[in-house]
Amino acid sequence: MTHLVGPLVATTFVDALTFTVAAAIVLAGAVGVVVARNPVHSALMLVMTLFGVAVLFVEQQADFLAAVQVIVYAGAIIVLFLFVIMLLGVDRREVFGRENLRGQRPMAAILVVLGLAGIFLLGFGAHWATGAPSVAGRANAAGPNVAKLGTSVFTTYLLPFEATAALLVIAVVGAVVLVRRTPGARGPDDQDDAGLEEHPGADGGDGTLAFGTGGEASGDADDGDGGERGDLGHDDPALGSTHERKMTS
Amino acid sequence: MSLGGDWYLALAAIVFSIGAFGLLVRRNIIVMFMCVELMLNAANLTFVTFSRMLNDIGGQSLVFFVLVVAAAEVVVGLGIIVAVHRRRAGATADDLHILKG
């Protein structure tokens, strides 16, 4: 960060306008993620930020990454977030008044401002670029962006690429193990939570049990009493869930 | 030609700070998780900017790997959140003090 104002004259008006609009979108989305009370709104604000970042990627000639950003992040990850939000029914208003750790928010603000100031100071003051020639390849060489990126990933970074395959398999197996329901594993705290496992065969095992419980969770959580679940789960899951979902929608 | 990289780096630093602030302040686990995604995206923007400034495609390769790791992280993290919520519905990050030994 040497000249924060200098390069403006060397660029076209369209580039400056694109950056300004995209930066405004990114910042508005980022603030919205933090500020929004409803997690669904936070997720949609996050989509806005991701699109803005994708625009900035295109502006910097990273076309493939912009496409991947939109497809993987906005298309898959946010959908996963929204799915979990709706499945668990955690779109409950957060209680903002209570602070369990006293003075946490002012401390967080102070720390973040200090950190940002540190980043800017280091960015303006330090010059860590060595000027060494690039190992992975020139970014502005001839040819399409995908070809250069593919060449880099499949030659210089071949071993990390193979490792990501193992990582993805481990993640999938880990997720399955985490959310799998084991019959015997129940803690003492489960007595007052609802009857997800209390009567496993109550609705004949027709596959509606999981969704019924999700609906119950959202209905109970939206009552606004903030926390402990009552014994709604002892009702018929299917009936209770449809009724409450209508009420909360 | 695009704007100078300094602008992009400054924007990424601000977005990273906003994400860090949200992570510290919010108590809904899923929103905290989204703030982590925000910070990851700020880092990605920094990588792409340095890739352009230093004329090195390695920055973009690194963003590629960050995307893969972020996807794996989201899968495992949401699995943990689902497991926590199955045990205590409506749990916030504060309710996880039951994990204390």
Side-chain angles (χ1 to χ4, degrees):
Chain A
M1 283 198 203
T2 49
H3 316 288
L4 201 58
V5 194
L8 248 183
V9 285
T11 61
T12 66
F13 174 70
V14 177
D15 288 322
L17 186 68
T18 309
F19 175 80
T20 310
V21 172
I25 290 174
V26 167
L27 285 178
V31 171
V33 170
V34 177
V35 167
R37 298 284 172 108
N38 193 331
V40 178
H41 297 168
S42 287
L44 295 180
M45 288 293 178
L46 188 56
V47 172
M48 197 166 121
T49 301
L50 299 179
F51 269 106
V53 172
V55 170
L56 292 179
F57 282 180
V58 172
E59 178 69 15
Q60 304 199 64
Q61 292 92 36
D63 308 332
F64 177 72
L65 288 178
V68 169
Q69 172 96 353
V70 171
I71 293 170
V72 172
Y73 257 115
I77 290 183
I78 296 299
V79 168
L80 203 59
F81 268 110
L82 286 174
F83 177 74
V84 169
I85 289 172
M86 310 238 171
L87 175 74
L88 296 177
V90 290
D91 46 350
R92 178 168 61 100
R93 310 256 160 186
E94 201 172 324
V95 185
F96 267 91
R98 192 160 50 92
E99 270 185 306
N100 281 9
L101 204 59
R102 205 154 48 84
Q104 186 196 1
R105 265 169 234 158
M107 278 302 288
I110 290 170
L111 277 180
V112 164
V113 168
L114 278 181
L116 189 60
I119 291 175
F120 273 95
L121 278 180
L122 285 177
F124 277 112
H127 299 282
W128 291 322
T130 60
S134 72
V135 178
R138 298 269 171 208
N140 65 352
N145 175 250
V146 185
K148 286 178 284 187
L149 187 56
T151 307
S152 165
V153 166
F154 288 117
T155 55
T156 314
Y157 298 106
L158 184 60
L159 189 63
F161 180 74
E162 300 280 351
T164 56
L167 177 73
L168 284 174
V169 172
I170 292 169
V172 169
V173 173
V176 170
V177 168
L178 275 173
V179 300
R180 197 170 52 119
R181 231 171 251 144
T182 49
R186 305 200 37 181
D189 222 15
D190 273 351
Q191 293 307 322
D192 55 348
D193 312 332
L196 181 57
E197 291 149 338
E198 303 247 343
H199 31 208
D203 56 351
D206 54 356
T208 61
L209 185 58
F211 289 101
T213 311
E216 274 169 25
S218 82
D220 188 28
D222 275 350
D223 286 344
D225 53 2
E228 301 296 323
R229 295 181 60 173
D231 49 359
L232 278 170
H234 297 292
D235 299 329
D236 186 5
L239 278 179
S241 70
T242 51
H243 174 60
E244 280 157 24
R245 187 164 287 169
K246 267 179 204 156
M247 278 179 58
T248 55
S249 61
Chain B
M1 193 56 200
S2 314
L3 277 180
D6 309 339
W7 292 86
Y8 291 87
L9 295 179
L11 175 69
I14 293 172
V15 172
F16 187 89
S17 302
I18 292 173
F21 180 71
L23 183 69
L24 290 172
V25 163
R26 294 300 296 260
R27 290 190 301 135
N28 190 324
I29 309 175
I30 292 189
V31 177
M32 291 170 73
F33 209 18
M34 288 179 201
C35 291
V36 173
E37 297 299 314
L38 216 54
M39 295 161 75
L40 276 173
N41 261 278
N44 280 351
L45 185 57
T46 310
F47 273 130
V48 171
T49 305
F50 274 126
S51 162
R52 175 168 68 90
M53 286 172 79
L54 302 177
N55 193 13
D56 189 339
I57 199 74
Q60 297 188 21
S61 311
L62 212 49
V63 171
F64 181 80
F65 291 118
V66 170
L67 281 170
V68 175
V69 173
E73 170 233 347
V74 164
V75 168
V76 174
L78 287 179
I80 292 175
I81 290 175
V82 168
V84 166
H85 272 266
R86 184 173 288 156
R87 185 157 280 255
R88 285 180 73 105
T92 63
D94 289 336
D95 296 330
L96 292 186
H97 64 80
I98 55 171
L99 288 179
K100 277 193 293 198

